[in-house]
Amino acid sequence: MVSYNGSVNGYFKGKRGLRQGDPLSPYLFVIAMNFLSLMLKKAAADNKFKYHYKCKETKLTHLSFADDLLIFIDGSMESVQHVLMVLREFELRSGLKVSMEKTSFFASGLTEQESQLIQATTGMHMGSLPVRYLGVSLDSKKLSLTSAEPLLHQIKAKFSSCGSVWVAWFKEVILKGSISNYWTTKPSSSFSWLANKLLKLKDTVFPLIKLRIQNGLSARFWFDNWSPFGKLYDYLKGSSSRLGISLNATVGSLITNGRWRIPPARSEEQLQLQTYLTTLQLNGEPDYYEWELGAPTASRYSTGETYNYLRPQRPRVRWVDVVWTKRGIPRHNFHLWLVLQDRIPTRDRLISWGLQVSPSCLLCNAANESRDHPFQDCSFSFNLWTQLARKLRLSPLRNWDATLGQMIALPKGKPPTLLSYLAWQAMIYWLWNERNARLHSNTFRSVDTIYTTIYRQLKNKIQSFRPSNPTMSSAMMQLWI
Protein backbone atom coordinates (compact mmCIF):
# COMPACT_ATOMS: atom_id res chain seq x y z
CA MET A 1 0.00 0.00 0.00
CA VAL A 2 1.06 3.60 -0.65
CA SER A 3 0.40 6.35 1.89
CA TYR A 4 0.27 9.82 0.26
CA ASN A 5 -0.62 12.97 2.22
CA GLY A 6 -2.15 10.89 4.98
CA SER A 7 -4.40 8.76 2.77
CA VAL A 8 -3.79 5.24 1.47
CA ASN A 9 -3.93 4.86 -2.30
CA GLY A 10 -3.17 1.81 -4.43
CA TYR A 11 -0.63 -0.91 -3.85
CA PHE A 12 2.43 -2.58 -5.29
CA LYS A 13 1.90 -6.09 -6.51
CA GLY A 14 4.64 -8.44 -5.29
CA LYS A 15 6.50 -10.30 -8.01
CA ARG A 16 9.64 -12.33 -8.35
CA GLY A 17 12.74 -10.93 -9.98
CA LEU A 18 15.13 -8.03 -9.59
CA ARG A 19 14.54 -4.36 -10.19
CA GLN A 20 17.03 -1.64 -11.07
CA GLY A 21 18.85 -0.56 -7.94
CA ASP A 22 18.37 -3.88 -6.15
CA PRO A 23 21.47 -4.57 -3.98
CA LEU A 24 21.72 -8.05 -5.50
CA SER A 25 21.88 -6.76 -9.10
CA PRO A 26 25.59 -5.75 -9.10
CA TYR A 27 26.64 -9.17 -7.81
CA LEU A 28 24.70 -10.98 -10.52
CA PHE A 29 26.11 -8.63 -13.16
CA VAL A 30 29.68 -9.25 -11.97
CA ILE A 31 29.08 -13.01 -12.14
CA ALA A 32 27.79 -12.68 -15.71
CA MET A 33 30.70 -10.48 -16.80
CA ASN A 34 33.17 -12.88 -15.24
CA PHE A 35 31.64 -15.62 -17.36
CA LEU A 36 32.09 -13.48 -20.50
CA SER A 37 35.70 -12.87 -19.47
CA LEU A 38 36.33 -16.61 -19.25
CA MET A 39 34.70 -17.13 -22.65
CA LEU A 40 36.96 -14.54 -24.30
CA LYS A 41 40.09 -15.97 -22.67
CA LYS A 42 39.18 -19.51 -23.74
CA ALA A 43 38.48 -18.42 -27.31
CA ALA A 44 41.89 -16.72 -27.49
CA ALA A 45 43.63 -19.73 -25.95
CA ASP A 46 41.96 -21.96 -28.57
CA ASN A 47 43.26 -19.65 -31.34
CA LYS A 48 39.75 -18.73 -32.45
CA PHE A 49 40.92 -15.12 -32.60
CA LYS A 50 44.41 -13.65 -32.34
CA TYR A 51 45.80 -11.31 -29.72
CA HIS A 52 46.60 -7.69 -30.43
CA TYR A 53 50.34 -7.59 -31.09
CA LYS A 54 50.92 -5.39 -27.98
CA CYS A 55 48.89 -7.77 -25.79
CA LYS A 56 50.29 -11.11 -26.88
CA GLU A 57 52.94 -11.39 -24.15
CA THR A 58 50.51 -10.63 -21.32
CA LYS A 59 47.68 -12.57 -23.04
CA LEU A 60 45.40 -9.58 -22.57
CA THR A 61 42.14 -9.93 -24.50
CA HIS A 62 39.89 -7.34 -22.87
CA LEU A 63 39.34 -4.77 -20.13
CA SER A 64 36.00 -4.35 -18.41
CA PHE A 65 34.85 -1.18 -16.63
CA ALA A 66 31.34 -1.82 -15.21
CA ASP A 67 29.20 -2.31 -18.34
CA ASP A 68 31.84 -0.94 -20.75
CA LEU A 69 33.97 -3.55 -22.49
CA LEU A 70 37.17 -3.01 -24.50
CA ILE A 71 38.29 -6.02 -26.58
CA PHE A 72 41.76 -6.16 -28.15
CA ILE A 73 42.44 -8.31 -31.25
CA ASP A 74 44.78 -8.34 -34.23
CA GLY A 75 42.21 -6.69 -36.55
CA SER A 76 41.68 -9.54 -39.00
CA MET A 77 38.16 -10.23 -40.25
CA GLU A 78 38.42 -13.78 -38.95
CA SER A 79 39.17 -12.56 -35.43
CA VAL A 80 36.32 -10.04 -35.58
CA GLN A 81 33.85 -12.75 -36.59
CA HIS A 82 34.94 -15.07 -33.81
CA VAL A 83 34.62 -12.29 -31.20
CA LEU A 84 31.08 -11.65 -32.43
CA MET A 85 30.36 -15.38 -32.12
CA VAL A 86 31.51 -15.29 -28.49
CA LEU A 87 29.29 -12.28 -27.79
CA ARG A 88 26.35 -14.01 -29.49
CA GLU A 89 26.85 -17.15 -27.40
CA PHE A 90 27.03 -14.97 -24.27
CA GLU A 91 23.75 -13.31 -25.29
CA LEU A 92 22.01 -16.66 -25.64
CA ARG A 93 23.23 -17.81 -22.24
CA SER A 94 22.75 -14.64 -20.23
CA GLY A 95 20.19 -12.52 -22.06
CA LEU A 96 22.64 -9.59 -22.19
CA LYS A 97 22.89 -8.29 -25.73
CA VAL A 98 25.54 -6.02 -27.21
CA SER A 99 24.08 -2.93 -28.89
CA MET A 100 25.93 -2.62 -32.18
CA GLU A 101 24.52 0.88 -32.68
CA LYS A 102 26.40 2.03 -29.57
CA THR A 103 29.54 0.00 -30.28
CA SER A 104 32.60 1.37 -32.04
CA PHE A 105 35.81 -0.17 -33.29
CA PHE A 106 39.18 1.52 -33.57
CA ALA A 107 41.71 0.33 -36.12
CA SER A 108 45.34 1.02 -36.85
CA GLY A 109 47.35 -0.47 -39.71
CA LEU A 110 44.28 -1.66 -41.62
CA THR A 111 43.55 -0.62 -45.17
CA GLU A 112 40.46 1.44 -45.94
CA GLN A 113 38.86 -1.57 -47.64
CA GLU A 114 39.41 -3.76 -44.57
CA SER A 115 37.90 -1.12 -42.27
CA GLN A 116 34.88 -0.68 -44.54
CA LEU A 117 34.39 -4.45 -44.65
CA ILE A 118 34.30 -4.62 -40.83
CA GLN A 119 31.79 -1.77 -40.75
CA ALA A 120 29.52 -3.36 -43.35
CA THR A 121 29.70 -6.82 -41.80
CA THR A 122 29.24 -5.96 -38.13
CA GLY A 123 27.14 -2.80 -38.20
CA MET A 124 29.64 -1.01 -35.94
CA HIS A 125 30.88 2.43 -36.89
CA MET A 126 34.56 3.19 -36.95
CA GLY A 127 35.75 5.59 -34.25
CA SER A 128 38.76 7.87 -34.39
CA LEU A 129 41.29 8.77 -31.74
CA PRO A 130 41.58 10.65 -29.51
CA VAL A 131 38.29 9.76 -27.85
CA ARG A 132 37.32 10.52 -24.26
CA TYR A 133 36.53 7.59 -22.00
CA LEU A 134 35.48 8.20 -18.39
CA GLY A 135 36.58 11.78 -18.92
CA VAL A 136 40.09 10.84 -20.06
CA SER A 137 41.44 11.42 -23.55
CA LEU A 138 42.64 8.15 -25.10
CA ASP A 139 45.54 8.87 -27.43
CA SER A 140 49.17 7.97 -27.97
CA LYS A 141 50.53 10.88 -25.96
CA LYS A 142 51.86 10.47 -22.44
CA LEU A 143 49.02 10.62 -19.91
CA SER A 144 49.49 13.57 -17.56
CA LEU A 145 48.22 13.73 -13.99
CA THR A 146 45.78 16.49 -14.96
CA SER A 147 44.21 14.49 -17.77
CA ALA A 148 44.06 11.37 -15.59
CA GLU A 149 42.31 13.09 -12.69
CA PRO A 150 38.74 12.28 -13.89
CA LEU A 151 39.76 8.65 -14.25
CA LEU A 152 41.21 8.53 -10.75
CA HIS A 153 37.96 9.84 -9.33
CA GLN A 154 35.72 7.46 -11.26
CA ILE A 155 37.70 4.22 -11.21
CA LYS A 156 39.19 2.38 -8.28
CA ALA A 157 40.52 -0.78 -9.81
CA LYS A 158 41.32 -3.47 -7.29
CA PHE A 159 43.18 -6.45 -8.64
CA SER A 160 44.48 -9.46 -6.78
CA SER A 161 48.13 -10.26 -7.34
CA CYS A 162 47.22 -13.04 -9.77
CA GLY A 163 44.68 -10.97 -11.70
CA SER A 164 46.49 -7.65 -12.03
CA VAL A 165 47.26 -6.56 -15.59
CA TRP A 166 50.26 -4.61 -14.30
CA VAL A 167 51.69 -7.67 -12.54
CA ALA A 168 51.26 -9.71 -15.73
CA TRP A 169 53.01 -6.96 -17.71
CA PHE A 170 55.87 -6.74 -15.21
CA LYS A 171 56.41 -10.49 -15.32
CA GLU A 172 56.21 -10.87 -19.10
CA VAL A 173 57.91 -7.66 -20.26
CA ILE A 174 60.38 -6.73 -17.51
CA LEU A 175 61.16 -10.24 -16.22
CA LYS A 176 60.88 -11.93 -19.63
CA GLY A 177 58.29 -14.43 -18.43
CA SER A 178 60.09 -15.83 -15.36
CA ILE A 179 59.84 -14.62 -11.78
CA SER A 180 63.37 -15.93 -11.16
CA ASN A 181 64.71 -13.27 -13.55
CA TYR A 182 63.87 -10.69 -10.89
CA TRP A 183 67.15 -11.47 -9.13
CA THR A 184 69.26 -10.88 -12.26
CA THR A 185 67.37 -8.13 -14.12
CA LYS A 186 69.05 -4.74 -13.77
CA PRO A 187 67.31 -1.33 -13.78
CA SER A 188 67.14 0.35 -17.17
CA SER A 189 66.37 3.82 -18.42
CA SER A 190 63.70 2.27 -20.67
CA PHE A 191 61.78 0.95 -17.63
CA SER A 192 59.29 2.98 -15.62
CA TRP A 193 60.25 4.55 -12.31
CA LEU A 194 58.18 1.97 -10.41
CA ALA A 195 59.74 -0.98 -12.24
CA ASN A 196 63.25 0.31 -11.50
CA LYS A 197 62.31 0.95 -7.88
CA LEU A 198 61.21 -2.67 -7.47
CA LEU A 199 64.38 -3.93 -9.14
CA LYS A 200 66.54 -1.85 -6.80
CA LEU A 201 64.86 -3.46 -3.77
CA LYS A 202 65.93 -7.01 -4.67
CA ASP A 203 68.63 -7.18 -1.96
CA THR A 204 66.08 -6.13 0.68
CA VAL A 205 63.42 -8.51 -0.61
CA PHE A 206 65.65 -11.56 -1.20
CA PRO A 207 65.75 -12.94 2.38
CA LEU A 208 61.95 -12.55 2.67
CA ILE A 209 60.98 -14.75 -0.31
CA LYS A 210 61.70 -18.46 0.10
CA LEU A 211 61.33 -20.84 -2.85
CA ARG A 212 60.34 -24.23 -1.48
CA ILE A 213 61.82 -27.03 -3.57
CA GLN A 214 59.46 -29.76 -4.81
CA ASN A 215 60.50 -30.84 -8.32
CA GLY A 216 63.18 -28.14 -8.58
CA LEU A 217 62.29 -27.32 -12.18
CA SER A 218 61.57 -23.61 -11.58
CA ALA A 219 64.26 -22.94 -8.97
CA ARG A 220 67.36 -21.26 -10.41
CA PHE A 221 70.38 -22.92 -8.79
CA TRP A 222 72.51 -19.77 -8.60
CA PHE A 223 70.05 -16.97 -7.87
CA ASP A 224 66.82 -18.16 -6.19
CA ASN A 225 66.50 -18.27 -2.40
CA TRP A 226 65.98 -22.03 -2.14
CA SER A 227 68.83 -23.12 0.15
CA PRO A 228 69.72 -22.13 3.74
CA PHE A 229 72.83 -20.42 2.34
CA GLY A 230 70.94 -17.66 0.50
CA LYS A 231 72.08 -16.70 -3.01
CA LEU A 232 74.54 -19.40 -4.05
CA TYR A 233 76.15 -17.11 -6.61
CA ASP A 234 77.46 -15.05 -3.70
CA TYR A 235 77.94 -17.94 -1.26
CA LEU A 236 80.02 -20.04 -3.69
CA LYS A 237 81.66 -17.03 -5.34
CA GLY A 238 80.13 -17.86 -8.70
CA SER A 239 81.75 -14.83 -10.30
CA SER A 240 85.13 -16.59 -10.16
CA SER A 241 84.11 -20.25 -10.57
CA ARG A 242 80.70 -21.58 -11.54
CA LEU A 243 81.67 -25.28 -11.15
CA GLY A 244 80.65 -25.91 -14.75
CA ILE A 245 77.01 -25.11 -13.88
CA SER A 246 75.11 -22.79 -16.22
CA LEU A 247 73.77 -19.51 -14.81
CA ASN A 248 70.28 -20.52 -15.97
CA ALA A 249 70.46 -24.05 -14.54
CA THR A 250 67.60 -25.14 -12.32
CA VAL A 251 67.96 -27.31 -9.24
CA GLY A 252 65.98 -30.11 -10.88
CA SER A 253 68.25 -30.15 -13.92
CA LEU A 254 71.27 -31.05 -11.76
CA ILE A 255 69.98 -34.42 -10.59
CA THR A 256 69.81 -37.55 -12.74
CA ASN A 257 68.55 -40.93 -11.54
CA GLY A 258 68.67 -39.68 -7.97
CA ARG A 259 72.31 -38.53 -8.18
CA TRP A 260 73.49 -34.92 -8.09
CA ARG A 261 75.72 -33.85 -10.96
CA ILE A 262 77.87 -31.54 -8.82
CA PRO A 263 81.70 -31.45 -8.99
CA PRO A 264 83.59 -32.67 -5.89
CA ALA A 265 83.81 -30.12 -3.11
CA ARG A 266 86.95 -27.99 -3.04
CA SER A 267 85.98 -25.56 -0.30
CA GLU A 268 84.17 -25.56 3.01
CA GLU A 269 81.20 -23.77 1.41
CA GLN A 270 80.89 -26.39 -1.35
CA LEU A 271 81.09 -29.17 1.23
CA GLN A 272 78.26 -27.64 3.28
CA LEU A 273 76.12 -27.30 0.15
CA GLN A 274 76.66 -30.91 -0.89
CA THR A 275 75.84 -32.06 2.64
CA TYR A 276 72.57 -30.14 2.42
CA LEU A 277 71.77 -31.62 -1.01
CA THR A 278 71.93 -35.14 0.43
CA THR A 279 68.96 -34.22 2.64
CA LEU A 280 66.92 -32.76 -0.24
CA GLN A 281 64.23 -35.04 -1.68
CA LEU A 282 62.58 -33.98 -4.94
CA ASN A 283 59.04 -34.99 -5.91
CA GLY A 284 56.58 -34.40 -8.72
CA GLU A 285 54.91 -31.30 -7.23
CA PRO A 286 55.70 -27.80 -8.53
CA ASP A 287 57.94 -25.49 -6.51
CA TYR A 288 56.20 -22.75 -4.53
CA TYR A 289 57.02 -19.49 -2.75
CA GLU A 290 56.56 -18.52 0.88
CA TRP A 291 56.98 -15.22 2.74
CA GLU A 292 59.39 -15.58 5.63
CA LEU A 293 59.21 -12.50 7.85
CA GLY A 294 59.88 -14.59 10.90
CA ALA A 295 58.05 -17.55 12.35
CA PRO A 296 55.73 -18.88 11.08
CA THR A 297 56.13 -18.54 7.31
CA ALA A 298 53.17 -17.53 5.14
CA SER A 299 52.06 -18.38 1.61
CA ARG A 300 50.34 -14.98 1.19
CA TYR A 301 51.77 -11.48 1.25
CA SER A 302 50.75 -9.11 4.06
CA THR A 303 51.42 -5.38 3.64
CA GLY A 304 51.12 -4.74 7.38
CA GLU A 305 53.56 -7.48 8.39
CA THR A 306 56.05 -6.40 5.72
CA TYR A 307 55.84 -2.77 6.88
CA ASN A 308 56.46 -3.78 10.49
CA TYR A 309 59.43 -5.87 9.37
CA LEU A 310 61.05 -3.13 7.28
CA ARG A 311 60.45 -0.10 9.48
CA PRO A 312 62.99 0.82 12.16
CA GLN A 313 62.08 -0.57 15.56
CA ARG A 314 61.40 2.17 18.08
CA PRO A 315 60.46 2.00 21.75
CA ARG A 316 56.78 2.27 22.61
CA VAL A 317 55.88 5.82 23.64
CA ARG A 318 54.21 6.26 27.02
CA TRP A 319 51.23 8.16 25.62
CA VAL A 320 50.17 5.60 22.99
CA ASP A 321 47.04 4.49 24.90
CA VAL A 322 45.95 8.09 25.43
CA VAL A 323 46.09 8.87 21.69
CA TRP A 324 45.07 5.67 19.89
CA THR A 325 42.01 4.81 21.94
CA LYS A 326 40.14 1.78 20.66
CA ARG A 327 36.76 3.54 20.54
CA GLY A 328 38.04 7.03 19.82
CA ILE A 329 37.03 9.46 17.08
CA PRO A 330 39.64 8.93 14.32
CA ARG A 331 40.16 12.58 13.39
CA HIS A 332 40.55 13.48 17.09
CA ASN A 333 43.09 10.66 17.54
CA PHE A 334 45.10 11.76 14.53
CA HIS A 335 45.02 15.45 15.51
CA LEU A 336 46.22 14.68 19.05
CA TRP A 337 49.05 12.59 17.56
CA LEU A 338 50.10 15.60 15.43
CA VAL A 339 50.01 17.85 18.51
CA LEU A 340 52.16 15.46 20.55
CA GLN A 341 54.63 15.25 17.66
CA ASP A 342 54.65 19.08 17.50
CA ARG A 343 53.63 18.95 13.83
CA ILE A 344 50.82 21.51 13.80
CA PRO A 345 51.61 24.94 12.29
CA THR A 346 51.56 27.04 15.44
CA ARG A 347 52.85 30.60 15.09
CA ASP A 348 56.17 29.92 16.77
CA ARG A 349 56.86 27.28 14.08
CA LEU A 350 55.75 29.61 11.28
CA ILE A 351 58.16 32.26 12.55
CA SER A 352 60.97 29.67 12.70
CA TRP A 353 60.32 28.98 9.01
CA GLY A 354 60.91 32.66 8.23
CA LEU A 355 57.27 33.72 7.83
CA GLN A 356 56.30 37.19 8.97
CA VAL A 357 53.30 36.57 11.27
CA SER A 358 52.18 37.87 14.63
CA PRO A 359 53.33 35.63 17.50
CA SER A 360 50.21 36.26 19.62
CA CYS A 361 47.79 33.50 20.61
CA LEU A 362 44.55 33.80 18.63
CA LEU A 363 42.46 32.53 21.55
CA CYS A 364 43.57 34.88 24.33
CA ASN A 365 45.95 37.45 22.74
CA ALA A 366 47.81 37.47 26.06
CA ALA A 367 50.85 35.35 25.21
CA ASN A 368 52.79 33.95 22.29
CA GLU A 369 51.37 30.90 20.52
CA SER A 370 53.34 27.68 20.86
CA ARG A 371 52.45 23.99 20.92
CA ASP A 372 51.70 23.93 24.68
CA HIS A 373 50.04 27.32 25.11
CA PRO A 374 46.71 27.13 23.20
CA PHE A 375 45.67 23.80 24.72
CA GLN A 376 46.31 24.20 28.46
CA ASP A 377 48.17 27.42 29.36
CA CYS A 378 45.81 29.79 27.52
CA SER A 379 43.05 31.31 29.69
CA PHE A 380 40.45 30.51 27.01
CA SER A 381 41.42 26.84 26.80
CA PHE A 382 41.82 26.51 30.57
CA ASN A 383 38.27 27.78 31.12
CA LEU A 384 37.00 25.14 28.69
CA TRP A 385 39.10 22.40 30.29
CA THR A 386 37.88 23.43 33.76
CA GLN A 387 34.26 22.81 32.73
CA LEU A 388 35.10 19.47 31.16
CA ALA A 389 37.35 18.34 34.02
CA ARG A 390 34.63 19.14 36.55
CA LYS A 391 32.27 16.83 34.66
CA LEU A 392 34.96 14.15 34.46
CA ARG A 393 35.74 14.49 38.19
CA LEU A 394 39.32 15.48 37.45
CA SER A 395 41.46 18.25 38.87
CA PRO A 396 42.15 20.72 36.00
CA LEU A 397 45.87 21.42 35.53
CA ARG A 398 47.11 24.49 33.69
CA ASN A 399 50.12 22.84 32.11
CA TRP A 400 50.43 20.67 29.00
CA ASP A 401 52.95 18.13 30.33
CA ALA A 402 51.17 17.84 33.67
CA THR A 403 47.81 17.20 31.99
CA LEU A 404 49.35 14.61 29.66
CA GLY A 405 50.85 12.87 32.69
CA GLN A 406 47.45 13.01 34.39
CA MET A 407 45.84 11.26 31.38
CA ILE A 408 48.56 8.60 31.27
CA ALA A 409 48.15 7.86 34.99
CA LEU A 410 44.40 7.10 34.71
CA PRO A 411 43.54 3.42 35.32
CA LYS A 412 43.39 1.54 32.00
CA GLY A 413 40.22 -0.14 30.75
CA LYS A 414 37.74 1.79 32.90
CA PRO A 415 34.71 3.64 31.44
CA PRO A 416 35.64 6.91 33.24
CA THR A 417 39.14 6.70 31.73
CA LEU A 418 37.83 6.25 28.18
CA LEU A 419 35.44 9.16 28.73
CA SER A 420 38.34 11.34 29.92
CA TYR A 421 40.39 10.40 26.85
CA LEU A 422 37.51 11.23 24.51
CA ALA A 423 36.79 14.56 26.19
CA TRP A 424 40.45 15.67 26.23
CA GLN A 425 40.93 14.70 22.59
CA ALA A 426 37.75 16.51 21.60
CA MET A 427 38.78 19.65 23.49
CA ILE A 428 42.17 19.78 21.73
CA TYR A 429 40.53 19.22 18.34
CA TRP A 430 37.85 21.90 18.77
CA LEU A 431 40.28 24.43 20.25
CA TRP A 432 42.43 24.13 17.14
CA ASN A 433 39.29 24.35 15.01
CA GLU A 434 38.31 27.57 16.80
CA ARG A 435 41.82 28.98 16.40
CA ASN A 436 41.71 28.35 12.63
CA ALA A 437 38.19 29.79 12.32
CA ARG A 438 39.35 33.03 13.93
CA LEU A 439 42.40 33.19 11.67
CA HIS A 440 40.83 32.29 8.31
CA SER A 441 37.16 33.30 8.50
CA ASN A 442 37.19 35.85 11.35
CA THR A 443 34.44 34.00 13.25
CA PHE A 444 34.44 33.71 17.04
CA ARG A 445 32.77 31.26 19.40
CA SER A 446 32.56 31.39 23.17
CA VAL A 447 33.78 28.78 25.63
CA ASP A 448 30.18 27.76 26.36
CA THR A 449 29.45 27.23 22.65
CA ILE A 450 32.45 24.96 22.19
CA TYR A 451 31.59 23.11 25.40
CA THR A 452 28.08 22.44 24.06
CA THR A 453 29.54 21.13 20.79
CA ILE A 454 31.82 18.72 22.65
CA TYR A 455 29.01 17.66 24.99
CA ARG A 456 26.70 16.72 22.11
CA GLN A 457 29.41 15.01 20.11
CA LEU A 458 30.50 12.78 23.00
CA LYS A 459 26.90 12.03 23.93
CA ASN A 460 26.31 10.72 20.41
CA LYS A 461 29.58 8.79 20.52
CA ILE A 462 28.67 7.12 23.82
CA GLN A 463 25.28 6.12 22.42
CA SER A 464 27.01 4.43 19.50
CA PHE A 465 28.66 2.00 21.97
CA ARG A 466 25.29 0.64 23.14
CA PRO A 467 24.84 -2.17 20.53
CA SER A 468 28.30 -3.65 21.15
CA ASN A 469 28.76 -2.89 24.87
CA PRO A 470 25.58 -1.68 26.60
CA THR A 471 27.13 -1.89 30.09
CA MET A 472 30.00 0.41 29.24
CA SER A 473 27.73 2.78 27.31
CA SER A 474 25.37 3.05 30.26
CA ALA A 475 28.21 3.69 32.73
CA MET A 476 29.72 6.42 30.56
CA MET A 477 26.37 8.04 29.87
CA GLN A 478 25.65 8.29 33.62
CA LEU A 479 28.94 10.10 34.09
CA TRP A 480 28.45 12.42 31.14
CA ILE A 481 24.83 13.62 31.30
Side-chain angles (χ1 to χ4, degrees), residues 107-128:
S108 176
L110 298 183
T111 65
E112 185 177 351
Q113 291 77 8
E114 289 173 329
S115 299
Q116 290 177 353
L117 179 60
I118 294 176
Q119 280 185 284
T121 306
T122 64
M124 297 183 293
H125 69 275
M126 183 176 178
S128 60

Side-chain angles (χ1 to χ4, degrees), residues 36 83 134 190 242 276 328 383 408 414 447 449 455-456 469:
L36 174 59
V83 168
L134 297 176
S190 62
R242 298 207 303 268
Y276 171 72
N383 289 338
I408 295 173
K414 303 292 184 180
V447 169
T449 302
Y455 176 83
R456 291 174 178 173
N469 196 330

Side-chain angles (χ1 to χ4, degrees), residues 286-324:
D287 305 326
Y288 64 93
Y289 289 96
E290 282 188 334
W291 284 94
E292 191 170 86
L293 302 177
T297 58
S299 58
R300 298 185 63 183
Y301 172 78
S302 170
T303 302
E305 291 179 2
T306 305
Y307 172 76
N308 289 330
Y309 174 86
L310 294 176
R311 70 173 181 172
Q313 297 298 318
R314 297 181 178 180
R316 181 184 175 93
V317 292
R318 64 191 186 103
W319 42 257
V320 62
D321 294 326
V322 178
V323 177
W324 304 113

Side-chain angles (χ1 to χ4, degrees), residues 34-47 49 51 59-62 86 162-163:
N34 185 60
F35 179 70
L36 174 59
S37 177
L38 295 174
M39 291 176 64
L40 289 170
K41 289 182 178 179
K42 186 177 186 303
D46 294 341
N47 293 320
F49 65 84
Y51 294 102
K59 293 182 171 54
L60 178 64
T61 58
H62 64 284
V86 171
C162 60

Side-chain angles (χ1 to χ4, degrees), residues 200-306:
K200 291 176 182 178
L201 288 172
K202 63 181 65 176
D203 292 337
T204 302
V205 173
F206 185 85
L208 309 182
I209 302 178
K210 292 289 186 179
L211 180 55
R212 302 305 183 188
I213 298 296
Q214 298 297 306
N215 57 22
L217 297 180
S218 63
R220 297 283 180 87
F221 176 82
W222 287 109
F223 300 104
D224 275 320
N225 189 7
W226 62 272
S227 75
F229 311 109
K231 186 185 296 185
L232 293 183
Y233 189 82
D234 296 336
Y235 181 72
L236 299 179
K237 300 177 177 59
S239 58
S240 57
S241 175
R242 298 207 303 268
L243 308 177
I245 301 174
S246 169
L247 287 177
N248 294 324
T250 63
V251 175
S253 68
L254 299 178
I255 186 170
T256 304
N257 297 326
R259 298 186 62 181
W260 291 96
R261 296 187 289 107
I262 305 291
R266 295 184 177 182
S267 68
E268 182 63 27
E269 290 80 7
Q270 294 177 22
L271 180 61
Q272 290 182 2
L273 173 62
Q274 293 195 9
T275 303
Y276 171 72
L277 291 177
T278 60
T279 66
L280 196 62
Q281 298 293 326
L282 303 188
N283 55 53
E285 298 296 323
D287 305 326
Y288 64 93
Y289 289 96
E290 282 188 334
W291 284 94
E292 191 170 86
L293 302 177
T297 58
S299 58
R300 298 185 63 183
Y301 172 78
S302 170
T303 302
E305 291 179 2
T306 305

